[in-house]
Amino acid sequence: MLNSWVVMPTCLPVVLRRCHTCGSERFRANGKFRVNANHKLLDAWLLVLCTSCGETAKLTVLERANVRSVRPELLDRMHDNDRSLAAELLQDPVLRRRNRVALDWDGAWRLDTGGSDHLGGEAVHVSVRLAARIPVRPVRLIAEGFGLSRAEVERLIAEGRLVSADRLSGRLSGDFTFMLKR
């Protein structure tokens, strides 16, 4: 039997960037946008707040874009301060590279295992789906899903009782499957 686990974001991740005011490196995105028009050109920013001093920083979304090249629904979502648009944009690698920021997902996601008893039976096949591009450690997910320690999961991998086509060490940000042999 195949069990399905889902890793779902619970809130927007922390943006890692140095604050020019206090030197802190953590900003919280709240889904607010600023759009500025200069004749036929648009600039748009996602606003983030420093977690220490509250200073506002801007992450560039659009820079000197022609008004006609911007989709009207995108512009409407920015004017409405759409939190789901903020989540989509924060996951865009181009936006993160352009603004020289990274994301910290600690405490911003949860694992939904479906509530079934996974340890009964001969072998357990699990498919893990990530609802967003969240970099997670598979060992940590498996430990949390089965209620084991990470050392126990590492031992199961070393013994060959926990197998996967994907690498279980390090971080993954895509879907993967594994099998626990009993």
Side-chain angles (χ1 to χ4, degrees):
M1 184 171 110
L2 180 68
N3 292 305
S4 295
W5 293 0
V6 181
V7 176
M8 297 185 302
T10 56
C11 61
L12 294 175
V14 171
V15 177
L16 301 176
R17 172 185 173 161
R18 186 167 170 77
C19 178
H20 297 293
T21 305
C22 70
S24 171
E25 299 207 357
R26 300 176 68 76
F27 284 81
R28 177 64 63 188
N30 58 3
K32 302 282 186 198
F33 291 89
R34 175 156 188 248
V35 180
N36 187 25
N38 185 5
H39 300 288
K40 294 182 181 179
L41 301 177
L42 282 178
D43 292 313
W45 300 276
L46 173 62
L47 302 178
V48 293
L49 300 172
C50 177
T51 57
S52 295
C53 68
E55 183 71 22
T56 301
K58 300 184 289 188
L59 303 181
T60 303
V61 176
L62 298 173
E63 189 170 33
R64 306 315 246 164
N66 191 313
V67 173
R68 292 181 185 211
S69 68
V70 179
R71 295 186 330 266
E73 55 272 3
L74 175 66
L75 198 54
D76 289 341
R77 288 177 74 186
M78 281 193 260
H79 283 300
D80 293 339
N81 292 319
D82 188 355
R83 284 182 63 90
S84 63
L85 176 62
E88 291 171 28
L89 291 172
L90 283 174
Q91 293 186 32
D92 182 11
V94 174
L95 181 121
R96 290 197 316 258
R97 193 172 327 125
R98 178 188 314 148
N99 290 286
R100 295 186 190 101
V101 298
L103 300 179
D104 180 7
W105 282 95
D106 287 345
W109 58 269
R110 69 179 173 84
L111 176 64
D112 181 17
T113 60
S116 60
D117 181 25
H118 302 295
L119 294 178
E122 189 62 30
V124 180
H125 298 272
V126 178
S127 169
V128 180
R129 186 177 66 81
L130 280 73
R133 292 190 51 81
I134 302 170
V136 295
R137 295 187 185 278
V139 170
R140 178 181 174 200
L141 271 182
I142 295 167
E144 184 177 325
F146 287 126
L148 303 170
S149 69
R150 283 186 263 174
E152 179 72 13
V153 173
E154 295 282 356
R155 188 181 61 74
L156 290 171
I157 293 171
E159 291 175 356
R161 293 176 42 205
L162 183 60
V163 294
S164 175
D166 299 296
R167 183 176 51 94
L168 295 178
S169 62
R171 291 184 185 261
L172 291 176
S173 31
D175 300 348
F176 66 96
T177 59
F178 65 90
M179 181 176 67
L180 175 63
K181 301 174 190 174
R182 280 303 185 179

